[in-house]
Amino acid sequence: MTHCRDFVGAAFAAAFAAISPVQAQDYPSRDYPSRLVHFVVPQAAGGGTDTFARAIGQKLSERWGQPVVIENKAGAGGVVGTDFVAKAAADGYTLLVTYEGSQAINQSLYEKLPFDSLKDFYPIATIAVTPFILIVGPRVEAKTLKEFIAFARANPDRLSYGSAGNGSVNHLLGEMLKTEADIRLVHVPYKGASAAIADVMGGHIDAAFASVPSVISSVQSNVVRALAVSSAKRVAAAPDIPTIAEAAGFAKFDVNPWWGILAPAGLSPAIAQKIAADIAAILKTPEMVEVLAKQGATPLITSSEAFRDLLAQDVEKWRKVVKASGATIN
């Protein structure tokens, strides 16, 4: 009997040893996900990040046969929700859906950030890119960007623009336009982009840069007037809106931020690859391409490695912009 037990034990050990490290790595992903997955959005509901999270979350839920729940944890320019995910278990069940503005800019903006935008996260996959639209409200007479700039030059500090907070993409786009056009505008920071957009609509402030998903319906219904888009190319969802480069002659003006999904550092590469592959498959479907196009977005499919490199490049790119703007948050 002892010899039999020894034989069985040796056979089991040999079989286990025969499993390659690659096969062993695959084990965590075979049953993933086996329960509810949380998508944490570090911005308020209704914005671009929230829109993309719900669109991709619904399709992943259908594909996985498990619910994907969206949780909006807004606050401190995205820091609250981002920090929550940084400190979550690295098991793939708490993921961050965010965009270039929060993940790349905050690293330079905050003097005491409770996490490192690169070291504390595992970039899984990008979702899309979409530009921002410069919108104006009812009290602004300018019909074009050139007229807006001309009025601002003749009336320094008369025009105001809102943003999602100091150092947000909305804010820095305004600073970039001020520098390029040599104009003076009054910056009015809000706790979220939706509040700034609402005040543009209500005529309380004059203008704002807003992501296409968050404002496209208001533009199309003429609630606000669009003067230009921040990208180098026009967006298919609103082809009549010129680019800033076209409208004002600033040839190098091109801001087209990405949106993507990240996990806490330490996530199994096998799980990350599974999520990335599923997202890529969804982004290739005509249905999702159409959903994104209606939001003025273009699918962006990358590997985890390429996403990590992109994030590192953008942290450095925005560091220079933040430094030039003088924006800081303690």
Side-chain angles (χ1 to χ4, degrees), residues 137-162:
R139 72 181 190 179
V140 176
E141 296 182 1
K143 299 295 189 293
T144 66
L145 180 57
K146 279 189 175 180
E147 290 178 2
F148 182 86
I149 291 172
F151 182 88
R153 283 178 178 162
N155 302 273
D157 296 325
R158 277 279 302 279
L159 292 174
S160 58
Y161 77 98

Side-chain angles (χ1 to χ4, degrees), residues 133 212 216 219-220 226 228-229 233-243 246 293-294 296:
I133 301 177
V212 177
I216 188 65
V219 170
Q220 292 171 339
V229 293
K233 296 180 179 180
R234 298 190 183 199
V235 295
D240 293 336
I241 305 175
T243 66
E246 291 173 328
K294 287 181 179 178

